[in-house]
Amino acid sequence: MTGVTQGTWGCAPPPGPILGQKNVKTPIPPLQAPRGGGVRGVGETAPGQGCTVPLSGRGLSGRAVHAGRCSPSPTSLPQRVRGRRRELDYISQQAPRPPRRGRGGASPGRSGAAMAAEWSVVLLTCQRGGCVSAFQRELEARRLRGGLGPRPPPLLLAVEDPWARLGSGGATLNALLVAAEHLSARAGCTVVTSDVLREARILILHMGRDFSFDDCGRAFTCLPVEEPGALAEALVCNLDSLLGTMTHRLCVGSPPGVWVCSTDMLLTVPSAPGIVWDGFQGVRVIAVPGSQMYARNHGVYLTDEQGLVHDIIYKGTEAQIRQCAGPDGAVPLLSLFFDIVLCMARGMTEEDFVKGGGDASARNARSVLWTALRAFPLSMACIPDASYDYMTMSASDHIRSLTLLPGSASHLRFSKTAHSHVDRPCLLEDGSSVTNCLLEGAVRLAAGSVIQHCHLQGPLEIGPGCLLSGLAVGSSPALQGCPLRDIVLQGHHVRLRDLPCRVFTLTGRLDDWQSPAEEATYLNVPWAEFFHRTGIREGDLWDAETPRRSRCLLSARLFPVLHACEALGLDDVLWLLAPAAAAGKRLACWRTAWRMSWQELLPCLDKAAELGARRALFFLQGQRKVRAVLLGHRDSSLLPLTRSAVHEGYHEAMLGTLDEVASMAGDVGIAARALACIAEVLGCMARGEGGLRSGPAANREWASAFGRLESGDIAGGVRELAAERQKWMSRPALLVRAARHYEGAEQILVRQAVMSSCQFVTVGQAELPPLGHWVQVACPARLDLSGGWSDTPPITYEHGGAVVDVAVLVDGCRPIGARVRRISEPELRLVSLGGTSRSEAVAELVCRELEHLQDYCQPHAPGALLKAAFICTQVVQFPSQKPLQAQLMESFGGGFEVHTWSKLPHGSGLGTSSILAGAVMASLYRAAGKAASTESLIHAVLHLEQRLTTGGGWQDQVGGLVPGIKIGRSKAQLPLRVEVEKILVPDSFTQTLNNHLLLVYTGKTRLARNLLQDVVRNWYARLPSTVQNADALVSNAEECAQALRQGNLLLIGKCLDRYWQQKKCMAPGCEPLAVGRMMDALRPYVYGQCLAGAGGGGFLYVLTKVPRQKEALHQILAKTEGLGNFSIHSIAVDTSGFSVEVVGCDLKDGAHPGEDMAV
C-alpha cells in the first residue's frame, strides 16, 4: 500500500453483522479454530481461512475504530467542515453507554492526561520474513520497562502477515483474528469466538513497508529523545512515541474496541485531544490539519455538518480538495484503510466501492465488507493542534525530522545528544543530532547531520546533510580524511542463508531511489558524471535485459557483499566518493566482488542482529555514562539504566563497570555510591521477590571483605565483595541478602567519609576533677525549622546542606542531660535514669572487660551510645591489646560512672539521641581532664553516630549545643565541616516566638533510622524527585533564615508548611493518619506547622496566629476524633545554650548534682 498518513482504527465486534457467526452471507468463514481443534499461534492463519482476505489497502492510514450495534443513520448532504483531520475510527455494535472507569480511562468530557488506556491485546504486524521473534522480544522488553501503561496488556503479539503484499486492510483482519484466537484460548474456549472481543481493547500497530534509512523499519527508527522520568532507560523509537500517544492521549476514555495504528509517521497529539466518547456509536476517524497543497499527494475527508464522512478523497483534484476545506483553508487529512472504511462513507455507492477493488478476489472481499459495515455511521473528529510527519523515502526529509524540534503539543523533547557518550560535545553544532552513539576523541558534526548507532573514534569531520548509521569503531580509520557532505552512509547486518556478514551502503542525500538513471542522481550528481569519474559502467550495475525505466538506484548492484580473496570493509564503498585519480585503484576490486542492490539486500537484512547490535552499543555507552556520572559527581540517576540492564541481560557488564569504578576511584564518597549502585542492580535482579531490602548484613561470609574496607583497602575489599557476590546470584532471596551486604559495605565507606570531620575536633587539656566529683551537662532540645535531611550523610557532603535550628526549653527546662564522675574501681558504670537527673535508675550496666564494649556499634544493644562515647573520646582504646582495667588504672587511676536522662519520649523528633551524645561527650571529656569546644563537639558527635551506625546528620547537635536561633551549613565536599551562623532577629522577636510556638506530642513514635535507610537509598539512586527536593530544602532554609531576620511570622509559617511538604517528599509515609487529622484540625489557627525531626510521629510544632494558645488548641484537638493520646507543651528559645558544671556530691546523703556548689 502507498500510505500517506497511516494511523489507527479500533473495533470490538461482538456477534452481529461484522465478523460474527450470524448474518454473514459471504465466502468469509466465521471466526473459528482450524479443523482438528486448538487455537492457532501467532501468524498461523492459513490463506483463505478466518478473516485474512487480500485487500489492496491503497493509500490510507487510520487512527482508531470501534465496533458495536447501531442502526444506519440517514445520509446528510455534504458540507465543508471546520478543521482538518488525521486518523481515528470507531464502530459500535452495542447500545451506547459510558465507558467503565478503570478500564477505558477518563469519563467523557474529562481530560485523560493523567490516565491511560488499558489494552487487552497489543499486536504488531510485520511483513512476511520480518523477523517476528525479534519484534516479539522488543514488545516484551517494553512491557518489562513499563512502556505500555500502568497496567500492561496481558497479551503482546508480533504477527507476521500470512503472505506478501497482503495490504493494510488484510493485515488488520488477520491481526484481529489472531487476537481473537489468543483471547479465546485465555478464556478457556476450544474454538475461536468473537464473544471475547465484546469487552476487549485491542491495539494493532502496522510495521508497513521497508524503510531505506532504518533496517528495522519506521517503527524502530530511533528518535533523539531521552525520557528522564521513565522507569527504565531505553532508546525511544517511533513505536514508543506512538504507543505513548495512543495509550496516554488519543485512546483515553474510549469504549472497548480496536484501534489500528500505522507506524510510518511521526504523530503529535495534544495531551487533551478533546474527543468526546459519550454516547458514541459507529465508526470514528481522527484527522489532523493539513494544507491544501500537502493534501494533493495525500487523502482528505469530506464531511457533512453533523461530522459524518461523506467521501474519502485520495490524491484528489484541486477542486475536490477545495471542497473539503474549512473556513481557515485547512483540510482534514485522512488516514484509514480504503477497503474497510470507505464503504461507510455516506457518499459512496456499493457499485463504486466494489469495483474499486481491482481483481475478482478483492472485489469479492469488498462486497463482503459493504454488507457487514455499511450500516455503521462513519464520523470524523479533527484535532486542531495535532500534526504528523510522514516518513518518506527522502533522506532530506528524514534528516530534517531528526534535527528539527517537534511541535509544542508533542510529548517528546528532542535533544542534540540522546543516549550517547561524546568525549567532546563542543564539536557538535546546533542543529545536529547524535543518538545511541559512542564518539571518542575529536568528532566534529555539522548542523543538519545525524549520527545513529555508531561507535567512532576521531579525528573525524562530518559535514552538513549527512546521515551515518550502524558504523562500528573499526570503520573510523576509513572515515578519517574522507570528505563527508550530503551523504547517507549505513552499515547493515545481513544474513545470506546461514552466513552473517556486514555490508555498507552509500547514497546521496538528494538521490531518488526509484527515478530512472537518465533522470536521477547518485551521490548527488548525475549518473553519467558518476560513471565518468569512477569508471563504473551501466553493465556493472544492471543486467542488459533490465528495461531502461527500471534502471534506478534501488536496483543498482553497487554494494560489495563478499569477495573471494579479501575481506571487505567500509573502504569498498567510500572509494565511490573519491576523485577519478584515486578511484581507479579500487575499481578492479569492486568489480570482482559479489555485489547486491538495495532491493536485493532488503530481504537479507538481519533485523534481530541489528536490534542486538543497537542494544549492545546502548549498554556500552551506558557503561561510559556510569563512569562519567560517578567519577564526575553528577546528580544523574543510574537507576533507570540499571533496570534496563537487568531487563535486557546486561547486568554483568553493569556490575563489572561499578566494581571497576569503586576500586579505582580513590575516593571513599565515589566508592560508596558505586557500592550502593551495585546493591540496586542486585535488588532489581530479585524482581521484587526475596524479601525486604532493609535488613541485617552480618553474614560471616562477607566479614573478610568488610574488614578490608574498614582497614582502608577499598580495592581489595571491592574484589572480595565481587568474589563473594557470585555465590549469591542464584535466587531472589540470596540476591536481596547480597544487596543488603553491599549497602552495609557502602555504610562502612560513608562512615569513613564522615569521619573526615574528625580533623575539626580539637581537644585540649583541662584540670582533672577530683575523684567522685560529678561533671554535669544539661542541654535544651532543638526544633528544626527548615532544611533537615540536607545535613544527612552522604547528602550533606555530596550536595551540601543548610538547616535552621532553634535551641528550646520544653516546659521551662532543659530536658536532656548527662553527668560523669571518676570512681576508684577500674570499671565503667553506665546508668540510665528516668526523666530527670533526680529520677531513679531504670537501667544499669557495668563493663569490666573490653569484650563488654564490642557491641557499641549496635544501636539497640544496652548502653551502646555510652560505650561508643568512651571509644570516640579515646578515654578507652578499642580495640586494644591492653585490657580495659589496665587502661583505666594507667590513665585515670580508676573507672567512670555515667548517668544520662531525658524528659523527652523515645523518637520525639527533638534531636534527643544526638544531643544526649553531645552531653555525654562534653561531660566525659571534662571528667577525663580534657576540654573541647562546641565546634569540636558538633563534629565529635558526627563521628560517634557513624561508629554507632545510626548514621545521623549534624542538625541535632547544632540545634542543642549552640544557643538560640542559627543556621548550620556544610559544603558539597570532603572533609565534612559544619559551619554555624547565628541568626540575628529583631529586638523582642525571641519573646514573640516564645508566645506563638507550641509543641504537640502526637503519641506516635518512629525511629529516624527506619526512614534513613530509604532516604539514603533514594539519594544514592539520585531519583530526580530526591535531588530536586534536596535543592529545595537548602533554598527553603535560606528563606527561613531571612524571614527570621525580618521577624516575619507569616513568612516563617510558610517556610514551615513548605518544609513539611519537603519532608514528606524525602521520606514518603512520614505522616501517620492521626497526625494528618491533627494538622487538618489546627490549620485554620496556625501560620505553619511541621513534625519535628524525620517525621513519622513524635512532636508537632505549630506557629500560632494568636499568641498563648495552649488551652485553645487543647480544646480544638480534644474535639477531634481519631487522635489518641496527645499533650501540648510550651517552648521557649534557649539563648544561653548547654551548661557544664563540675560539682561535689555525696550521693549517700541524698544530695543531687546541681544542688551543691560548683567547683
Side-chain angles (χ1 to χ4, degrees):
M1 92 178 221
T2 57
V4 252
T5 62
Q6 311 211 8
T8 13
W9 62 284
C11 61
I18 175 172
L19 303 180
Q21 296 188 12
K22 298 180 180 179
N23 304 322
V24 181
K25 302 176 181 179
T26 73
I28 301 180
L31 292 175
Q32 59 185 5
R35 291 183 180 180
V39 177
R40 284 187 179 275
V42 175
E44 291 181 353
T45 306
Q49 291 182 320
C51 297
T52 55
V53 292
L55 303 179
S56 68
R58 51 178 281 256
L60 280 143
S61 21
R63 247 350 65 175
V65 181
H66 262 85
R69 285 196 182 91
C70 65
S71 55
S73 59
T75 302
S76 303
L77 293 176
Q79 300 285 335
R80 286 182 294 179
V81 298
R82 180 180 180 83
R84 300 156 277 181
R85 77 165 286 283
R86 176 71 188 134
E87 317 131 44
L88 190 105
D89 304 342
Y90 173 86
I91 310 173
S92 178
Q93 284 186 313
Q94 299 170 339
R97 60 183 178 184
R100 296 189 305 179
R101 295 286 187 96
R103 291 287 298 163
S107 59
R110 284 187 57 190
S111 168
M115 309 184 73
E118 295 179 16
W119 304 112
S120 308
V121 191
V122 172
L123 302 101
L124 179 66
T125 72
C126 54
Q127 294 181 335
R128 201 165 186 79
C131 200
V132 170
S133 59
F135 295 145
Q136 182 70 39
R137 185 190 189 284
E138 291 297 314
L139 290 178
E140 295 295 343
R142 281 153 177 79
R143 184 212 301 272
L144 284 174
R145 61 181 183 242
L148 296 171
R151 296 183 183 177
L155 284 173
L156 294 173
L157 304 171
V159 181
E160 187 177 53
D161 292 346
W163 57 77
R165 305 180 68 83
L166 180 64
S168 56
T172 297
L173 295 179
N174 182 61
L176 187 58
L177 174 60
V178 172
E181 290 173 345
H182 283 263
L183 289 171
S184 297
R186 290 180 68 88
C189 303
T190 57
V191 296
V192 181
T193 172
S194 61
D195 290 344
V196 295
L197 302 178
R198 186 179 296 272
E199 292 297 323
R201 286 177 165 81
I202 300 171
L203 174 60
I204 300 174
L205 299 151
H206 288 311
M207 285 281 294
R209 297 165 298 161
D210 295 312
F211 190 42
S212 300
F213 309 114
D214 196 293
D215 290 359
C216 299
R218 293 172 172 87
F220 292 98
T221 296
C222 286
L223 306 178
V225 172
E226 292 186 356
E227 297 178 306
L231 290 175
E233 185 172 333
L235 298 175
V236 178
C237 302
N238 188 35
L239 175 68
D240 301 298
S241 173
L242 291 169
L243 279 170
T245 297
M246 303 299 294
T247 302
H248 299 285
R249 298 194 175 198
L250 265 183
C251 307
V252 173
S254 62
V258 181
W259 289 75
V260 181
C261 179
S262 169
T263 61
D264 61 0
M265 78 289 181
L266 301 174
L267 179 63
T268 298
V269 174
S271 58
I275 304 172
V276 178
W277 296 99
D278 191 14
F280 176 78
Q281 57 181 331
V283 181
R284 174 169 288 168
V285 293
I286 305 302
V288 302
S291 67
Q292 295 185 38
M293 180 176 296
Y294 186 84
R296 293 175 187 173
N297 293 315
H298 298 276
V300 295
Y301 290 114
L302 177 63
T303 62
D304 62 23
E305 57 188 9
Q306 282 81 39
L308 296 176
V309 176
H310 182 76
D311 197 3
I312 300 173
I313 300 171
Y314 180 67
K315 290 189 177 182
T317 65
E318 186 173 347
Q320 289 175 312
I321 294 172
R322 196 182 307 114
Q323 186 183 9
C324 301
D328 59 356
V331 291
L333 298 177
L334 88 84
S335 136
L336 209 118
F337 315 104
F338 274 127
D339 294 294
I340 296 178
V341 176
L342 186 60
C343 64
M344 291 175 277
R346 297 296 92 190
M348 179 58 58
T349 65
E350 181 176 7
E351 180 182 0
D352 290 340
F353 176 71
V354 172
K355 75 179 182 182
D359 59 24
S361 62
R363 289 194 297 272
N364 182 53
R366 283 192 167 213
S367 178
V368 172
L369 290 170
W370 179 273
T371 302
L373 299 178
R374 179 60 182 175
F376 294 95
L378 176 63
S379 62
M380 183 194 77
C382 185
I383 306 176
D385 295 327
S387 64
Y388 82 102
D389 188 3
Y390 179 66
M391 301 171 73
T392 71
M393 298 291 282
S394 162
S396 296
D397 289 348
H398 185 59
I399 292 171
R400 176 189 53 79
S401 68
L402 296 177
T403 53
L404 290 181
L405 297 179
S408 59
S410 175
H411 61 287
L412 301 176
R413 293 293 177 265
F414 282 13
S415 57
K416 186 191 300 184
T417 57
H419 303 294
S420 298
H421 176 84
V422 181
D423 280 352
R424 300 180 62 180
C426 61
L427 298 181
L428 307 181
E429 295 184 8
D430 291 341
S432 62
S433 174
V434 177
T435 304
N436 194 34
C437 289
L438 188 53
L439 304 184
E440 301 172 324
V443 178
R444 186 179 298 276
L445 184 64
S449 285
V450 175
I451 307 180
Q452 293 195 329
H453 317 301
C454 291
H455 183 180
L456 301 175
Q457 290 178 338
L460 292 176
E461 185 161 348
I462 301 164
C466 292
L467 170 63
L468 274 62
S469 177
L471 303 181
V473 65
S475 303
S476 300
L479 291 171
Q480 292 172 3
C482 183
L484 299 180
R485 185 185 183 94
D486 292 326
I487 60 101
V488 177
L489 180 58
Q490 301 177 85
H492 309 275
H493 291 269
V494 171
R495 181 170 290 275
L496 306 172
R497 294 184 181 271
D498 295 327
L499 176 65
C501 59
R502 290 280 284 157
V503 176
F504 299 95
T505 59
L506 177 68
T507 57
R509 178 176 64 85
L510 304 177
D511 296 344
D512 185 284
W513 286 95
Q514 294 180 303
S515 295
E518 292 90 344
E519 306 168 6
T521 62
Y522 177 56
L523 297 179
N524 308 310
V525 298
W527 279 97
E529 182 179 333
F530 169 75
F531 291 147
H532 176 74
R533 177 172 55 80
T534 60
I536 293 175
R537 299 185 294 265
E538 283 195 50
D540 295 324
L541 304 180
W542 299 285
D543 296 332
E545 60 271 18
T546 303
R548 303 293 300 179
R549 301 295 298 176
S550 298
R551 297 185 181 190
C552 59
L553 176 56
L554 189 65
S555 60
R557 295 191 183 98
L558 278 162
F559 312 117
V561 177
L562 294 172
H563 196 281
C565 303
E566 58 183 88
L568 298 176
L570 188 57
D571 284 325
D572 294 287
V573 293
L574 285 178
W575 76 272
L576 299 174
L577 292 169
K585 301 176 182 178
R586 304 293 305 182
L587 179 59
C589 178
W590 179 85
R591 278 205 171 110
T592 55
W594 179 39
R595 305 182 310 281
M596 297 176 72
S597 67
W598 179 241
Q599 192 172 38
E600 293 166 333
L601 281 171
L602 280 174
C604 303
L605 295 176
D606 191 338
K607 296 177 173 60
E610 176 61 29
L611 290 169
R614 294 179 184 182
R615 199 157 44 243
L617 181 57
F618 173 80
F619 286 107
L620 181 60
Q621 67 83 25
Q623 290 172 257
R624 300 293 183 93
K625 175 181 178 178
V626 168
R627 294 188 187 97
V629 166
L630 295 181
L631 296 176
H633 301 277
R634 298 181 189 171
D635 285 336
S636 300
S637 178
L638 296 176
L639 184 56
L641 181 61
T642 295
R643 293 192 182 109
S644 283
V646 171
H647 294 159
E648 301 281 4
Y650 281 83
H651 51 274
E652 287 292 350
M654 177 73 81
L655 290 171
T657 301
L658 292 168
D659 287 337
E660 176 190 339
V661 171
S663 299
M664 306 300 293
D667 181 303
V668 290
I670 293 174
R673 185 179 176 188
L675 295 184
C677 290
I678 292 175
E680 287 292 356
V681 175
L682 298 173
C684 287
M685 291 176 65
R687 299 183 187 275
E689 300 177 5
L692 295 174
R693 281 283 300 277
S694 299
N699 188 284
R700 287 177 295 178
E701 300 297 323
W702 299 82
S704 176
F706 281 19
R708 282 188 176 273
L709 294 177
E710 293 278 14
S711 69
D713 181 8
I714 295 178
V718 170
R719 284 195 299 272
E720 288 201 22
L721 287 171
E724 184 62 31
R725 181 178 72 216
Q726 295 304 315
K727 307 173 187 176
W728 298 69
M729 305 279 279
S730 59
R731 63 180 190 272
L734 294 180
L735 285 164
V736 168
R737 281 154 180 77
R740 291 177 184 171
H741 284 82
Y742 265 93
E743 288 188 339
E746 154 225 310
Q747 284 303 313
I748 293 173
L749 299 185
V750 170
R751 287 200 294 274
Q752 293 178 0
V754 175
M755 287 178 190
S756 65
S757 64
C758 289
Q759 62 187 272
F760 305 113
V761 178
T762 303
V763 179
Q765 293 299 315
E767 182 182 356
L768 188 68
L771 193 70
H773 282 60
W774 292 96
V775 177
Q776 177 170 294
V777 175
C779 295
R782 73 95 184 90
L783 287 184
D784 55 315
L785 299 188
S786 56
W789 284 121
S790 72
D791 66 303
T792 304
I795 301 173
T796 190
Y797 62 77
E798 291 185 348
H799 175 274
V803 182
V804 174
D805 276 319
V806 183
V808 293
L809 306 176
V810 180
D811 292 331
C813 69
R814 294 176 180 148
I816 303 164
R819 60 175 176 245
V820 179
R821 69 174 177 177
R822 287 193 300 119
I823 57 177
S824 57
E825 296 84 354
E827 62 189 23
L828 305 178
R829 298 177 189 170
L830 313 179
V831 181
S832 177
L833 304 179
T836 69
S837 60
R838 304 183 182 210
S839 301
E840 296 296 325
V842 295
E844 296 187 36
L845 182 67
V846 178
C847 301
R848 297 187 176 91
E849 307 290 340
L850 282 178
E851 288 74 14
H852 297 161
L853 303 178
Q854 64 185 3
D855 59 354
Y856 77 93
C857 57
Q858 299 175 24
H860 300 292
L865 185 148
L866 303 184
K867 295 173 184 178
F870 275 102
I871 294 170
C872 291
T873 56
Q874 298 185 347
V875 170
V876 173
Q877 301 297 319
F878 182 90
S880 174
Q881 297 298 317
K882 186 177 292 186
L884 176 61
Q885 294 184 356
Q887 290 187 42
L888 294 174
M889 291 303 297
E890 181 178 310
S891 300
F892 304 103
F896 291 87
E897 182 175 353
V898 183
H899 293 184
T900 60
W901 63 89
S902 172
K903 289 183 64 176
L904 303 174
H906 195 52
S908 68
L910 298 181
T912 307
S913 58
S914 298
I915 298 172
L916 182 60
V920 171
M921 297 186 85
S923 57
L924 193 53
Y925 273 131
R926 187 70 186 86
K930 301 178 182 180
S933 66
T934 301
E935 180 186 10
S936 294
L937 284 174
I938 290 170
H939 293 91
V941 173
L942 263 177
H943 176 209
L944 181 146
E945 292 191 326
Q946 292 303 316
R947 297 292 294 269
L948 190 61
T949 71
T950 53
W954 46 257
Q955 64 152 309
D956 296 345
Q957 57 265 37
V958 168
L961 299 180
V962 180
I965 308 170
K966 59 271 174 181
I967 180 170
R969 298 184 181 91
S970 63
K971 296 179 180 178
Q973 63 184 36
L974 290 175
L976 172 59
R977 183 170 191 173
V978 183
E979 298 176 316
V980 182
E981 174 193 347
K982 184 175 182 179
I983 298 175
L984 301 177
V985 299
D987 294 341
S988 75
F989 184 70
T990 298
Q991 184 58 45
T992 301
L993 275 181
N994 296 342
N995 294 337
H996 287 264
L997 277 173
L998 285 173
L999 271 184
V1000 181
Y1001 184 60
T1002 65
K1004 306 289 182 181
T1005 61
R1006 184 173 182 178
L1007 280 178
R1009 179 180 173 84
N1010 297 341
L1011 297 171
L1012 179 62
Q1013 289 177 321
D1014 290 336
V1015 171
V1016 171
R1017 188 176 297 138
N1018 292 342
W1019 171 255
Y1020 269 135
R1022 290 303 195 276
L1023 298 183
S1025 59
T1026 301
V1027 175
Q1028 293 165 10
N1029 201 45
D1031 294 338
L1033 283 165
V1034 173
S1035 175
N1036 190 54
E1038 298 294 348
E1039 290 184 32
C1040 184
Q1042 187 60 29
L1044 285 163
R1045 294 185 189 102
Q1046 297 171 1
N1048 190 323
L1049 289 178
L1050 179 61
L1051 290 181
I1052 295 170
K1054 289 181 178 179
C1055 290
L1056 298 186
D1057 284 342
R1058 193 182 305 129
Y1059 182 31
W1060 179 233
Q1061 298 305 316
Q1062 292 164 353
K1063 283 187 179 182
K1064 291 194 291 184
C1065 177
M1066 190 65 81
C1070 68
E1071 182 182 276
L1073 184 60
V1075 173
R1077 292 195 188 105
M1078 184 178 291
M1079 298 178 83
D1080 289 341
L1082 296 177
R1083 189 163 286 111
Y1085 310 98
V1086 300
Y1087 286 122
Q1089 55 187 329
C1090 184
L1091 275 180
F1099 281 95
L1100 170 73
Y1101 59 90
V1102 299
L1103 186 66
T1104 62
K1105 296 178 179 178
V1106 178
R1108 294 176 291 276
Q1109 291 294 293
K1110 182 176 178 180
E1111 294 302 323
L1113 295 193
H1114 192 281
Q1115 294 178 12
I1116 293 168
L1117 294 180
K1119 298 176 183 177
T1120 304
E1121 296 183 357
L1123 298 189
N1125 295 325
F1126 70 90
S1127 56
I1128 301 181
H1129 306 265
S1130 62
I1131 52 177
V1133 177
D1134 185 351
T1135 57
S1136 301
F1138 76 100
S1139 62
V1140 180
E1141 294 180 305
V1142 179
V1143 295
C1145 176
D1146 185 353
L1147 293 179
K1148 292 181 181 179
D1149 296 335
H1152 296 277
E1155 295 177 341
D1156 299 324
M1157 182 181 298
V1159 177

